[in-house]
Amino acid sequence: GENVEQHPSTLSVQEGDSAVIKCTYSDSASNYFPWYKQELGKGPQLIIDIRSNVGEKKDQRIAVTLNKTAKHFSLHITETQPEDSAVYFCAASIETGANNLFFGTGTRLTVIP
Amino acid sequence: GAVVSQHPSWVICKSGTSVKIECRSLDFQATTMFWYRQFPKQSLMLMATSNEGSKATYEQGVEKDKFLINHASLTLSTLTVTSAHPEDSSFYICSARGRQGVDTFGSGTRLTVV
């Protein structure tokens, strides 16, 4: 089955700096890669996703890049703000039918004011 | 946007009793719903996948008789933790998949068994 690894497990940045979180996956058939943000005591919220037919996607301060050959994808957050502090999870799946998401182990991001 | 409502948000129950958690997709029909369990500071662990009108598919190691899942309609799935014990205390989260293939998560249920 799919195995998703995520690094780093914790990340602290100064407000205004950029944050980068990296994930690798093992199943070359995976073609859908969402990123979720989870705040304490809440469920994960989708912040951005990318499919394997594109290499990069941006949404304001958030961007995701995908390297299918190397089987890795990354989340980039620019101009970080204290409210970006949360746990971020990457995931991978084969986007067909009821195939489930395989999650990374999470990154606890702390933005220091 | 897609909204998934999960209730209750927290529950405390006595050991040996059963607890039902509801997961509703409010503004879309969910072809598939998923149930996860999350331990403190850990990732989401998939428990089961349910499709409307059919039996849930449980992950290895998850007791189907203990964690009963009912997906009665395209907008509602329930998870019942039967004969709960303290080791069942955890954060349970559901997600619903819409026709565009995106999974939307509920807000989670913190179960404490005393």
Side-chain angles (χ1 to χ4, degrees):
Chain A
E2 174 67 279
N3 181 44
V4 179
E5 295 189 355
Q6 182 171 348
H7 299 280
S9 57
T10 61
L11 178 61
S12 292
V13 299
Q14 289 291 138
E15 182 177 359
D17 287 351
S18 296
V20 180
I21 302 171
K22 299 182 179 182
C23 288
T24 61
Y25 62 99
S26 61
D27 189 348
S28 57
S30 290
N31 56 6
Y32 176 60
F33 308 92
W35 285 88
Y36 287 88
K37 175 183 180 182
Q38 186 177 28
E39 297 178 341
L40 189 63
K42 298 183 179 180
Q45 281 191 308
L46 179 70
I47 55 172
I48 196 167
D49 58 10
I50 191 168
R51 291 173 171 83
S52 60
N53 57 342
V54 298
E56 184 176 2
K57 184 176 178 181
K58 286 185 180 180
D59 183 3
Q60 299 183 339
R61 298 186 297 108
I62 295 173
V64 58
T65 59
L66 171 65
N67 184 326
K68 286 191 298 181
T69 303
K71 294 206 281 289
H72 67 70
F73 55 113
S74 301
L75 177 71
H76 304 253
I77 306 174
T78 59
E79 301 172 28
T80 54
Q81 301 166 1
E83 49 266 39
D84 294 330
S85 296
V87 179
Y88 292 80
F89 290 99
C90 63
S93 76
I94 300 172
E95 196 178 22
T96 304
N99 291 313
N100 59 278
L101 294 172
F102 290 87
F103 283 89
T105 48
T107 297
R108 182 171 299 278
L109 173 65
T110 303
V111 180
I112 304 166
Chain B
V3 178
V4 173
S5 174
Q6 184 174 342
H7 291 281
S9 56
W10 60 270
V11 57
I12 301 173
C13 72
K14 290 185 177 181
S15 189
T17 62
S18 295
V19 173
K20 180 184 284 189
I21 302 170
E22 288 192 351
C23 181
R24 292 181 184 270
S25 55
L26 298 186
D27 50 1
F28 66 101
Q29 291 185 331
T31 54
T32 305
M33 287 186 172
F34 302 88
W35 287 95
Y36 297 84
R37 184 172 179 176
Q38 187 177 34
F39 293 101
K41 298 186 178 182
Q42 292 191 22
S43 189
L44 288 81
M45 184 187 77
L46 180 67
M47 298 175 66
T49 301
S50 75
N51 292 292
E52 182 262 342
S54 61
K55 289 184 178 181
T57 302
Y58 290 81
E59 295 299 299
Q60 191 173 4
V62 178
E63 300 176 57
K64 61 179 70 175
D65 293 332
K66 180 166 189 63
F67 299 99
L68 300 179
I69 292 172
N70 187 322
H71 195 155
S73 74
L74 284 173
T75 60
L76 173 65
S77 178
T78 60
L79 167 68
T80 301
V81 183
T82 62
S83 186
H85 289 92
E87 56 265 31
D88 299 325
S89 298
S90 192
F91 192 56
Y92 293 88
I93 313 173
C94 70
S95 71
R97 178 168 295 175
R99 297 194 187 282
Q100 294 183 342
V102 175
D103 291 3
T104 301
F105 284 81
S107 54
T109 298
R110 178 153 310 280
L111 169 64
T112 302
V113 185
V114 298

